[in-house]
Amino acid sequence: MTKRIIVGVSGASGSQLALKTLEILKVLSVETHLVHSKGAVASVQHELGKDGVEQLKVLASVTYAPDEMTAAIASGSFHTDGMIITPCSMRTLSGVAYSFSDNLLTRAADVVLKERRKLVLVPRETPLHEGHLEAMLKVTRMGGIIAPPVPPFYADMQNKEDMLTEIAARGINTLGIDPGVNMTKWQ
């Protein structure tokens, strides 16, 4: 049975993580449903180039606009195996924490939580203040998983590509999917 995962992309820095996540999921033949926030467009274009959003879309099985509130992923009756938001801005994380379903990205995350499916957020912010930490705690208490993009320093990463693969593979593994790539495990 094919897995179905929602991949969300917010306006935080780290578009390469979204790209690598989609690349790995495509190799695994996972059905991906891509949604991004309006703020993601500028970040993605800055980090991946003018055609950055298209690079992400071509890897996804299905794509949605941020304001497409009647999309399948906006309903709990559309079964998914979970969702990962990578990168996840503090605005998006706060929207999830406080159930603001004002765009499709936060609505899809809200649906995943209410249906008790796996939600993985990869927040890209440092340092953190109390408000950030409270929002993360709130999401965690609702069943979400906060997975900052922290590389394991015991891994034998030779370059940026190795680091991106390692972090993306860890996010996919957190969803309960074997990433099929050489993810470093403590021996």
Side-chain angles (χ1 to χ4, degrees), residues 3 10 16-17 45 49 53 64 69-71 84 100 109 115 145 150:
K3 294 275 188 187
S10 76
Q16 298 96 339
L17 289 172
Q45 288 178 343
V53 175
Y64 305 96
M69 298 301 283
T70 59
I84 184 168
F100 296 142
E115 297 296 330
I145 300 168
V150 180

Side-chain angles (χ1 to χ4, degrees), residues 122-151:
V122 182
R124 275 284 301 116
E125 188 68 62
T126 190
L128 302 167
H129 62 62
E130 186 175 351
H132 298 149
L133 296 169
E134 285 178 355
M136 289 181 189
L137 182 58
K138 190 164 181 60
V139 169
T140 300
R141 287 181 173 156
M142 292 189 298
I145 300 168
I146 306 298
V150 180

Side-chain angles (χ1 to χ4, degrees), residues 2-134:
T2 302
K3 294 275 188 187
R4 181 186 286 163
I5 298 295
I6 303 167
V7 178
V9 182
S10 76
S13 178
S15 303
Q16 298 96 339
L17 289 172
L19 184 67
K20 182 56 71 178
T21 298
L22 284 163
E23 287 173 351
I24 293 170
L25 291 171
K26 187 169 185 82
V27 168
L28 296 172
S29 298
V30 172
E31 181 182 317
T32 53
H33 291 254
L34 175 66
V35 60
H36 61 80
S37 67
K38 288 181 181 176
V41 175
S43 295
V44 170
Q45 288 178 343
H46 178 75
E47 295 176 356
L48 298 179
K50 188 176 175 182
D51 68 338
V53 175
E54 287 307 312
Q55 288 178 52
L56 298 177
K57 287 181 176 182
V58 76
L59 292 169
S61 308
V62 182
T63 62
Y64 305 96
D67 59 352
E68 198 175 335
M69 298 301 283
T70 59
I73 61 173
S75 173
S77 64
F78 183 75
H79 180 77
T80 67
D81 296 292
M83 178 176 186
I84 184 168
I85 303 176
T86 183
C88 185
S89 67
M90 284 301 138
R91 189 239 174 266
T92 296
L93 192 145
S94 296
V96 173
Y98 294 95
S99 305
F100 296 142
S101 296
D102 61 342
N103 63 53
L104 185 57
L105 179 59
T106 54
R107 172 61 187 166
D110 193 57
V111 167
V112 167
L113 286 174
K114 80 179 185 69
E115 297 296 330
R116 307 295 192 262
R117 298 173 185 149
K118 283 197 175 185
L119 174 65
V120 177
L121 305 181
V122 182
R124 275 284 301 116
E125 188 68 62
T126 190
L128 302 167
H129 62 62
E130 186 175 351
H132 298 149
L133 296 169
E134 285 178 355

